Each structure stands twice: as C-alpha cells, then as structure tokens.
Amino acid sequence: MDRKSHRSGSNQAATLVAVVADVLAVIIGLWILMYLLDANRANDLVSFVQDAARWLAGWSYDLFTFDEAWARVVAGYGLAAVVYLFVGHAVANRLRRY
C-alpha cells in the first residue's frame, strides 16, 4: 500500500470518528434542550432521545448533586457531551497525523 492511499484511509477513519462523536454529542445536547424546554416525555421522539442520552451519559448523568434538577441535567449530561467531543476529535486528529 502506498503512502497516499494509506493517508486517505486514515483521513476517512478520522472523519468517521469525528462524525460519530458529533452525533453522540448532538443527541445528548438535544436531550438537555428538551429537558430545559419541558418537552412532553410521553412523546415517542422525546422518549427515544431521553433513553439514548441516558444510555450515552450513563457514567455521568447523576454525577452532580445540585439542588436544582435542571442544573444536574445540564452538568451531568453536558459533561458527557463535552467528553465525547473532546475524546472523539482528539482521536480523529491523531488518526489524521498517522
């Protein structure tokens, strides 16, 4: 395999990693927005986004114990979104250099 085709494959993998990280962060961000806007949780879309965000932020959604529920949601889920973005784009940048 020549160097040019190897680099192209690395760029494609890096783009895929970055896009996946972005999508995960958007799902979590969408749940934060829906929560803050008091979206109808009986709605199928809202329920799906909440379940997906809770699964993605399973390690952080109840990490903080603020008195206000909205602050716990923003901090806990927001942390997960930031971590996904940071780690995903760091891995993508590393792949691009390879």
Side-chain angles (χ1 to χ4, degrees):
M1 182 187 299
D2 67 11
R3 184 128 174 101
K4 185 176 181 179
S5 64
H6 179 72
R7 179 160 290 217
S8 174
S10 295
N11 282 337
Q12 289 174 347
T15 300
L16 179 64
V17 168
V19 167
V20 168
D22 291 346
V23 168
L24 299 179
V26 165
I27 290 169
I28 295 170
L30 187 57
W31 167 242
I32 293 170
L33 182 64
M34 287 178 171
Y35 182 88
L36 293 175
L37 295 175
D38 200 25
N40 178 8
R41 295 191 191 164
N43 178 281
D44 290 339
L45 176 63
V46 175
S47 180
F48 172 78
V49 171
Q50 179 184 15
D51 291 344
R54 176 130 184 190
W55 186 81
L56 291 170
W59 57 273
S60 70
Y61 75 90
D62 64 351
L63 189 63
F64 301 100
T65 58
F66 297 113
D67 291 336
E68 299 292 330
W70 68 266
R72 288 191 303 270
V73 169
V74 170
Y77 286 91
L79 174 64
V82 168
V83 168
Y84 280 119
L85 286 173
F86 180 77
V87 171
H89 285 266
V91 169
N93 287 335
R94 181 75 175 147
L95 285 171
R96 283 188 183 100
R97 289 185 194 144
Y98 180 68

